Amino acid sequence: MKNNKKTVLSGIQPSGELCIANYIGAMKNWIKIQEDYNSIFLIVDLHSITVSQVPSELRKRCYSYLCQYLAVGIDPEKSIIAIQSHIPEHLELMWILNTITPLGDLSRMTQFKDKTKKNKENINSGLFTYPVLMASDILLYNADLVPVGADQKQHLELTRNLAEKFNNKFSPTFSIPDPLIPERGSRIMSLQDPNSKMSKSDANLNNLISLLDDPDLIVRKIKRAVTDSKSEINYTNSKGLANLIDIYSSFSEKSIDEIEQFYIGKQYSDFKSDLGQIIIESLKPIQKKYSQIIKDKTYLDTILKNNSSKASQIARKTISKVYRKVGLVSKARLIY
Ligand code: AQP
């Protein structure tokens, strides 16, 4: 990646079926961006094991994610797509960053608080240090821009603080990354409970629409989505309706205003039926491409092999620099 382009990095943990919230909040931006930036898109499997996973399902899901990254339009010749655990430098940098991360900062993280509430039987230290691993993912590649949904803003702020702290303590090393949060759809809410965000690992599958849901299921889930008992399609009616309008707007590229105007004099059922069709049509090409490649393990393994070797080259350079700056003896000296 020797050019003057800036670097963009984003990752998703394989902790459930990728859903439209992940697509709208993050992946949709990836496709636009890969033309103009050096891009790295990770499947962050080490993050996902901070909550219990079934090992055989996790392995399968990593391949499924790889196919969905390709199916939404990530080009493995232009962008690096890699599995986090294939590049051990993520963990090496995490250790170094751990040594400059204040405990107080980690205990303020909203995601940590939410996840510990949901996982009372497995409150592990990985959940606590999750944001440090995320900072390592980003800083290892000197990313300038990180496309994420609004829920990750706090983690990005910690990453920026750690980068600045390291740069000041040792010497300028890391770029200070900016979040790229979409104007529309940065926080898609659950279909049944519009007060909580839509999450791919939600046990109630009626709360989310997976990128691989079939058309009938999508229609049913939208029909059942919680709204209100008013009659006009108006963004301010309720959180549930506003959420559906946000989803409509993201998939159709129409503004809230245009949508409200279009549905004057129409019913909620008309709106929901159209929304179902818009999602189905948007996901159709993704699902088609997915089904064409998911069984081709040789093709998928070749992509992983080539791409993780590109990622490793960058990661190795960063970690050598970091080790030298903090005063560790270079292993390269011992080879003569
Ligand atoms: N509700 C959301 N609206 C918009 N964007 C969202 N993202 C997640 N939920 C929404 C964005 O999708 C990416 C997924 O990142 P992740 O898997 O590392 O973590 P997450 O934010 O914890 O995502 P989920 O779907 O909620 O996963 P689980 O259920 O496993 O915790 C990020 O860019 C995120 O901002």
Side-chain angles (χ1 to χ4, degrees):
M1 285 194 174
K2 276 196 185 125
N3 55 38
N4 292 328
K5 288 183 183 173
K6 289 194 164 186
T7 298
V8 68
L9 178 137
S10 200
I12 302 187
Q13 47 171 342
S15 48
E17 294 303 326
L18 277 169
C19 68
I20 57 170
N22 307 127
Y23 179 73
I24 295 169
M27 299 168 89
K28 206 169 153 227
N29 260 332
W30 299 359
I31 305 145
K32 292 184 203 148
I33 259 175
Q34 66 176 343
E35 303 300 330
D36 303 320
Y37 286 80
N38 295 319
S39 311
I40 301 155
F41 300 115
L42 299 170
I43 297 161
V44 288
D45 53 348
L46 294 168
H47 280 284
S48 70
I49 55 173
T50 53
V51 299
S52 288
Q53 303 290 338
V54 177
S56 57
E57 284 177 14
L58 175 60
R59 240 186 308 276
K60 252 203 223 153
R61 211 180 293 130
C62 284
Y63 277 99
S64 174
Y65 271 42
L66 169 61
C67 287
Q68 289 177 75
Y69 282 18
L70 297 169
V72 298
I74 304 302
D75 179 346
E77 299 300 324
K78 288 186 186 148
S79 303
I80 293 177
I81 306 180
I83 294 182
Q84 183 189 31
S85 62
H86 290 179
I87 302 136
E89 287 83 359
H90 287 256
L91 296 167
E92 296 184 60
L93 182 56
M94 183 195 185
W95 182 255
I96 303 291
L97 295 181
N98 264 336
T99 65
I100 59 164
T101 307
L103 277 184
D105 287 8
L106 293 181
S107 54
R108 274 193 288 279
M109 294 292 142
T110 315
Q111 182 173 298
F112 172 69
K113 291 182 196 160
D114 290 347
K115 293 242 155 148
T116 48
K117 262 187 229 150
K118 282 191 202 156
N119 295 283
K120 287 211 172 74
E121 72 299 341
N122 181 20
I123 303 178
N124 59 77
S125 50
L127 274 179
F128 191 64
T129 51
Y130 183 112
V132 190
L133 181 55
M134 181 168 160
S136 310
D137 301 337
I138 297 166
L139 300 181
L140 193 57
Y141 302 96
N142 265 304
D144 300 287
L145 203 61
V146 184
V148 283
D151 63 319
Q152 293 296 333
K153 198 166 168 237
Q154 200 184 23
H155 288 170
L156 242 295
E157 269 155 24
L158 178 78
T159 303
R160 289 168 61 88
N161 291 344
L162 292 179
E164 272 162 7
K165 197 166 175 183
F166 188 97
N167 289 350
N168 290 336
K169 185 166 179 190
F170 299 100
S171 62
T173 308
F174 298 119
S175 308
I176 310 298
D178 283 313
L180 177 69
I181 297 177
E183 259 173 51
R184 284 194 300 243
S186 69
R187 191 168 168 81
I188 298 297
M189 308 309 279
S190 151
L191 297 179
Q192 298 290 315
D193 171 17
N195 288 311
S196 313
K197 76 168 192 131
M198 185 183 286
S199 272
K200 60 176 137 48
S201 66
D202 197 320
N204 180 357
L205 295 179
N206 285 324
N207 283 337
L208 60 110
I209 292 177
S210 143
L211 296 189
L212 301 178
D213 275 352
D214 66 42
D216 287 349
L217 194 54
I218 295 173
V219 168
R220 251 181 290 144
K221 286 182 179 178
I222 293 292
K223 240 188 213 165
R224 280 193 210 145
V226 168
T227 49
D228 51 78
S229 53
K230 297 185 182 139
S231 54
E232 296 232 327
I233 311 294
N234 191 312
Y235 195 79
T236 55
N237 281 2
S238 62
K239 279 192 180 166
L241 182 63
N243 186 42
L244 296 185
I245 296 179
D246 278 335
I247 297 173
Y248 191 121
S249 166
S250 297
F251 277 111
S252 67
E253 302 290 345
K254 290 201 167 83
S255 69
I256 310 286
D257 223 35
E258 282 174 292
I259 297 168
E260 285 178 341
Q261 291 294 322
F262 184 78
Y263 284 97
I264 289 176
K266 294 186 183 156
Q267 315 267 324
Y268 274 35
S269 55
D270 300 320
F271 168 77
K272 280 187 164 183
S273 153
D274 291 351
L275 174 58
Q277 288 314 311
I278 287 169
I279 300 174
I280 291 167
E281 287 309 314
S282 306
L283 298 185
K284 206 184 260 173
I286 298 173
Q287 296 181 350
K288 186 169 171 220
K289 175 94 197 271
Y290 176 87
S291 63
Q292 285 164 352
I293 54 179
I294 185 65
K295 296 218 171 77
D296 194 345
K297 277 275 150 62
T298 314
Y299 169 65
L300 299 176
D301 282 340
T302 308
I303 289 179
L304 285 179
K305 189 163 171 259
N306 294 343
N307 277 263
S308 63
S309 123
K310 286 187 220 162
S312 289
Q313 272 181 27
I314 308 170
R316 204 60 247 154
K317 264 193 201 153
T318 309
I319 207 72
S320 304
K321 204 196 266 184
V322 167
Y323 276 6
R324 185 168 43 77
K325 293 203 180 187
V326 299
L328 306 185
V329 174
S330 163
K331 210 165 92 183
R333 288 173 57 87
L334 308 179
I335 299 160
Y336 51 85

